[in-house]
Amino acid sequence: MNNEQQNYEELTITNNFIFCKVMQSNPNLCKQLVELIINRKISHMVAVNSEQTIEITPDGKGIRLDVYFEDDGSTMYDIEMQVESNKNLARRSRFYQNIMDSQALGKNSDYIELMDSYVIFICPFNILPEYGYHLYHFRPRADEDSSIILDDGTSRIFVCAKGNRDDVSVEMKDFLDYLSGKLAGSQLTSQLDDAVKLARLNQKWRTEYMLSKIDIDVMKGEYERELAKKDAALAEKDNALAEMDNALAEKDNSLIEKDARIAELEALLANLTNKDS
């Protein structure tokens, strides 16, 4: 248990659980961080929801948003802490934005009522290391003229701590350094760091985190057991096929022996016939 407690007390802002708790319990910090990323002021926040689950259909694929909120200016925001790099981030961000839209627009609503939306992925790595930017802003543009932006209200932003260009403000650079494990050096990162430390002292959250880890371990164990069952079933089938192959091989050998015996008898009969003649 001590090791588990030590693990929890060592968690940083890049841990998904801690990030969600800090953003949910400190909406003003969440607002400041998003304002820093999108480079504009946000009107009054309606609500901050941590790990909001959106289900599409009972048998469809749902999503769980890390931190979701709306402002009174009819804009939706989803902020995701992405710890591990993978090739699916671009399509995942597209999926998140589409699902947010589908939930925001009522059945009989006009498309003009569709809210603007931001999907923000915060990454301790660089999604496109060959370019080296710290911030990547994506909005639909015309292939014929990149200055023509399709005004559909969607924006996807990737914040990358491992950029190497001089392309962000001092305050943003300090946040990115903090994201990379360096000491807080601005008012915002100092407040974030204090909030992280308080979160690590919260025994209720610690228990919740440990229970979630147990749930994950249980699910992982069930998954591994299910895989083991499938592997065992496949092994049984392989053994059965091997036995059938052996049985067929024995039959083939028996037929070969019979064919050889028949050939011997035919040869003997031919010799007898020649002698009689």
Side-chain angles (χ1 to χ4, degrees):
M1 198 69 171
N2 290 335
N3 289 335
E4 291 176 351
Q5 184 174 0
Q6 184 180 6
N7 289 338
Y8 179 77
E9 290 177 348
E10 291 176 351
L11 298 179
T12 67
I13 192 69
T14 59
N15 176 267
N16 186 269
F17 181 87
I18 291 291
F19 177 75
C20 291
K21 291 301 184 184
V22 166
M23 293 294 105
Q24 182 184 28
S25 57
N26 299 274
N28 186 52
L29 280 180
C30 179
K31 180 173 178 288
Q32 289 183 60
L33 178 58
V34 174
E35 287 177 339
L36 176 64
I37 293 170
I38 67 175
N39 196 30
R40 72 169 180 82
K41 292 293 182 181
I42 295 175
S43 54
H44 179 69
M45 297 171 68
V46 175
V48 179
N49 295 322
S50 174
E51 297 190 311
Q52 173 172 323
T53 300
I54 298 178
E55 299 289 349
I56 306 172
T57 61
D59 57 348
K61 183 176 178 61
I63 59 173
R64 187 173 65 180
L65 307 179
D66 279 0
V67 179
Y68 173 88
F69 72 90
E70 301 171 9
D71 64 22
D72 56 7
S74 297
T75 301
M76 303 178 289
Y77 304 83
D78 168 42
I79 310 99
E80 302 286 323
M81 179 60 70
Q82 186 67 35
V83 180
E84 296 181 0
S85 176
N86 61 60
K87 297 178 180 179
N88 299 321
L89 288 185
R91 292 180 182 272
R92 182 179 169 190
S93 65
R94 165 187 161 188
F95 182 70
Y96 278 32
Q97 204 149 38
N98 289 340
I99 297 305
M100 288 166 63
D101 286 344
S102 68
Q103 293 294 307
L105 193 65
K107 252 186 184 179
N108 300 317
S109 301
D110 191 275
Y111 291 115
I112 195 65
E113 299 176 28
L114 192 61
M115 301 171 71
D116 289 351
S117 64
Y118 284 89
V119 173
I120 301 170
F121 276 42
I122 300 177
C123 310
F125 49 88
N126 198 323
I127 62 166
L128 298 169
E130 63 271 29
Y131 296 104
Y133 290 102
H134 290 96
L135 289 176
Y136 297 90
H137 299 77
F138 295 100
R139 288 186 290 171
R141 298 176 183 271
D143 287 343
E144 295 73 16
D145 185 343
S146 60
S147 67
I148 302 175
I149 299 175
L150 184 65
D151 188 17
D152 65 353
T154 63
S155 296
R156 282 182 276 172
I157 302 175
F158 293 83
V159 182
C160 303
K162 297 300 182 183
N164 53 31
R165 290 177 178 257
D166 185 16
D167 59 336
V168 293
S169 66
V170 173
E171 189 176 11
M172 174 58 77
K173 187 62 170 65
D174 185 75
F175 170 70
L176 295 172
D177 287 342
Y178 177 66
L179 201 64
S180 298
K182 296 182 181 179
L183 295 176
S186 68
Q187 182 177 356
L188 175 60
T189 53
S190 294
Q191 290 176 330
L192 285 171
D193 196 49
D194 289 341
V196 169
K197 290 174 181 175
L198 285 174
R200 291 195 300 231
L201 293 174
N202 190 308
Q203 290 301 310
K204 180 181 177 182
W205 290 351
R206 178 188 175 280
T207 301
E208 184 181 337
Y209 175 75
M210 296 314 304
L211 288 175
S212 69
K213 281 189 66 177
I214 291 172
D215 289 341
I216 291 171
D217 290 341
V218 169
M219 290 175 62
K220 184 179 178 182
E222 290 177 354
Y223 177 71
E224 290 175 346
R225 283 192 291 274
E226 190 64 27
L227 281 180
K229 287 180 182 178
K230 290 180 179 179
D231 288 342
L234 287 173
E236 288 181 5
K237 288 181 180 179
D238 288 341
N239 290 333
L241 287 173
E243 289 177 0
M244 290 176 63
D245 288 341
N246 289 334
L248 288 173
E250 289 179 1
K251 288 182 179 180
D252 288 341
N253 290 332
S254 177
L255 288 173
I256 291 171
E257 290 176 358
K258 287 180 179 179
D259 288 341
R261 181 58 179 162
I262 290 172
E264 288 178 3
L265 292 174
E266 287 177 344
L268 180 61
L269 181 61
N271 287 332
L272 293 173
T273 301
N274 291 333
K275 286 180 180 179
D276 291 341
S277 59

